[in-house]
Amino acid sequence: MKTSDNETLTRVGPGTPMGATMRRYWHPICTSEQLPHPDCDPLRTKLLGESFVVFRDSQGKVGVLDEYCMHRRVSLALGRVEGGGIRCLYHGWKFSIDGTILETPNHPDERFRKNLRAPSYPVHEAGGLIWTYIGPRDKEPVFQKFPFFDGPDQNRVVLRINTHANYLQLFEGGVDSSHVGILHSNRANPTWMHNTFTSAVEEDYNPGALSVPDNCPSLEVEDTDYGYHYVAKRKAGTPDAVSIRVTPVILPTCRIIPAPAFQFFVFEVPQDDEWTSTYLLCHGPKAIARADVVRIMGLDDERFWNPKTCDFHADWANHLGQDRAAMKHNWTGLSGIEQEDAILAVSMGPIVDRSLEHLVAADVAIVRLRRRLLEAVRMVEAGQEPLGNQIADLGHVKALVDTVIDSADDWRDQVKSNRESVPA
Ligand code: FES
Ligand SMILES: [Fe+2]
């Protein structure tokens, strides 16, 4: 990969090509759970290199404002959330969720309040997430509906994990089927240490559950309106049988990973060039316990993940938390799927130099991700809408968990709805 393409793909701040492209989509900015009740503590967070304060007002409505007060730039994250707005601690200016200036105690001029507004951004709350749009006002796209918006809340678990790695490192890990049976051996094949294979399907929310022990899947990719989907084909015992696993990628940050009974919608949302908020949505046709998802992801270990701040900590000072003494019976010396994925992404350094890679055929879905993201950048540069941002409903997009089909059959027939063209 050319160094210039790596720069284009990884830099997301204001004024950068990818920053301009990402700003043409809605993004999650925090979870609903992070703002648990009206007038709760405000949240300070970043999105695409900019700083915001997110708060829930007395009516329960959520506002996203620039973090720094428009008066003299104190952080509003220190402010008081009360009486239908957020009040800056410094001189008491108070703002509603849409940026209306409600009070200016040190400047009692009503016209001044009416003529100005604090920078604010549109908000939707859906699927356990707070979504916002920070791009050009006149280019605001439709708010897209994802399948996990539907169904009762107990059928869904929402986790946020803030990791010190560029979003693309984490995203590429999510479209890399050939690592599942190796990195996640503890979950994909719990008897690996005996050189035998045991399928781990007893946990039907296990996204590492492979049905067969083939760690050299052949991959095929097909472009779609929203990005692409790809299949990993694994040998399934007889020459005329193949196990397929299909992963859709929805630009600019989402992929859907299948588990036996659930689907994991994973968003790799850039906070800035070096930090990523991973939003992990486990969604299915029945109730699921948050503690089970936290455990299978390896986020129950407090050394790594703080459920309150959502920050993921891994430090070379303790070898990124790896337990090398355990590696006789534990493949990674780590524990859990997200813990393993996040630590490997951190181990690459915040922004990896892709000009030094040696890619192979098993990396074809990663190459396509880069290509599709660069296409979206070119579309914005050409004055067009970027790939997929006009699709109002993504309900037809599905991952397919390991399924054995006749090797002469077309995998696309198993995921026909993924290929439906949606009129812009
Ligand atoms: S800095 Fe916020 S009110 Fe003065
Ligand atoms: Fe992984």
Side-chain angles (χ1 to χ4, degrees), residues 170 173-174 176 179-180 183-184 255 337-338 340-342:
L170 291 150
D176 176 15
H179 87 274
V180 176
L183 174 65
H184 304 308
R255 80 269 186 181
I337 290 170
E338 179 63 23
E340 289 164 343
D341 285 333

Side-chain angles (χ1 to χ4, degrees), residues 181-256:
I182 300 178
L183 174 65
H184 304 308
S185 285
N186 296 328
R187 290 291 174 192
N189 177 17
T191 58
W192 66 268
M193 70 292 290
H194 306 304
N195 282 324
T196 57
F197 177 75
T198 308
S199 181
V201 291
E202 73 280 4
E203 287 167 329
D204 61 11
Y205 50 87
N206 176 6
L210 294 179
S211 61
V212 291
D214 179 0
N215 286 330
C216 185
S218 63
L219 269 52
E220 290 172 31
V221 190
E222 181 182 53
D223 285 345
T224 60
D225 290 356
Y226 47 84
Y228 66 94
H229 63 166
Y230 80 94
V231 67
K233 292 181 173 177
R234 291 178 168 85
K235 293 178 212 74
T238 64
D240 51 2
V242 63
S243 175
I244 65 169
R245 179 182 174 94
V246 179
T247 304
V249 170
I250 302 169
L251 257 52
T253 68
C254 179
R255 80 269 186 181
I256 313 176

Side-chain angles (χ1 to χ4, degrees), residues 134-155:
I134 63 168
R137 281 288 145 114
D138 59 332
K139 298 274 198 305
E140 182 183 320
V142 60
F143 178 64
Q144 299 181 300
K145 182 174 185 292
F146 283 83
F148 63 83
F149 292 3
D150 293 330
D153 285 354
Q154 64 262 32
N155 293 13

